Amino acid sequence: MAPGPLESLDFLRQFVESFGLEGRFGGVDLGPYHIPWLLREEPHQAAVVPAHLESFGEPHLRLIPLVDPTPLYGSSLLWSPAQRRPELDGLLRRVDAAIRQRAWLHYDKRRHWLPQTEQADVEALSL
């Protein structure tokens, strides 16, 4: 299940189609923290959530990491050059260090899953 309209969740739509799963999309996207409520209402469902989330402190939920392949979800930082603040440089340094430490830009098509439309872009960055 994915709370939100399909057109705003293209990554999940492609993920569901790629693995032959059935997906239900729709409703209002309230973020991942309302997922436990949705799963209590419909316990036969499952949801894809960001990897950094814990089990929401819900004993009736089981969190299973997705691996082999691990889905990769691209992210970006966006800011206005006209509003650049000194704190931004520190943030960018910390983000760059995390990217290098965690190999976030390393794409291995044997271990990772990306939508077909993004594979060529990421492979070009990895060279």
Side-chain angles (χ1 to χ4, degrees):
M1 95 174 47
L6 180 59
E7 54 275 3
S8 70
L9 300 168
D10 194 49
F11 178 88
L12 286 177
R13 181 194 57 77
Q14 290 182 61
F15 178 79
V16 165
E17 288 175 0
S18 180
F19 292 98
L21 305 171
E22 292 183 25
R24 190 182 79 208
F25 300 86
V28 177
D29 186 354
L30 301 173
Y33 294 100
H34 78 291
I35 296 279
W37 177 81
L38 291 172
L39 294 175
R40 273 194 300 277
E41 295 292 315
E42 298 185 53
H44 61 284
Q45 296 288 328
V48 176
V49 298
H52 68 277
L53 295 179
E54 300 296 325
S55 64
F56 303 98
E58 299 281 339
H60 67 283
L61 295 180
R62 183 170 165 206
L63 190 63
I64 301 170
L66 298 177
V67 296
D68 298 325
T70 300
L72 301 180
Y73 189 83
S75 299
S76 300
L77 289 174
L78 179 68
W79 67 87
S80 168
Q83 299 296 320
R84 185 150 185 171
R85 299 173 49 138
E87 297 88 353
L88 181 61
D89 293 331
L91 172 65
L92 293 175
R93 282 192 299 277
R94 288 191 295 279
V95 168
D96 187 51
I99 287 169
R100 282 186 271 109
Q101 177 186 12
R102 297 178 180 149
W104 286 345
L105 293 180
H106 177 75
Y107 170 64
D108 179 346
K109 59 184 167 188
R110 296 168 301 199
R111 297 183 319 126
H112 301 129
W113 178 87
L114 280 173
Q116 192 87 28
T117 54
E118 295 180 28
Q119 288 177 11
D121 293 337
V122 171
E123 287 173 352
L125 286 173
S126 298
L127 297 177

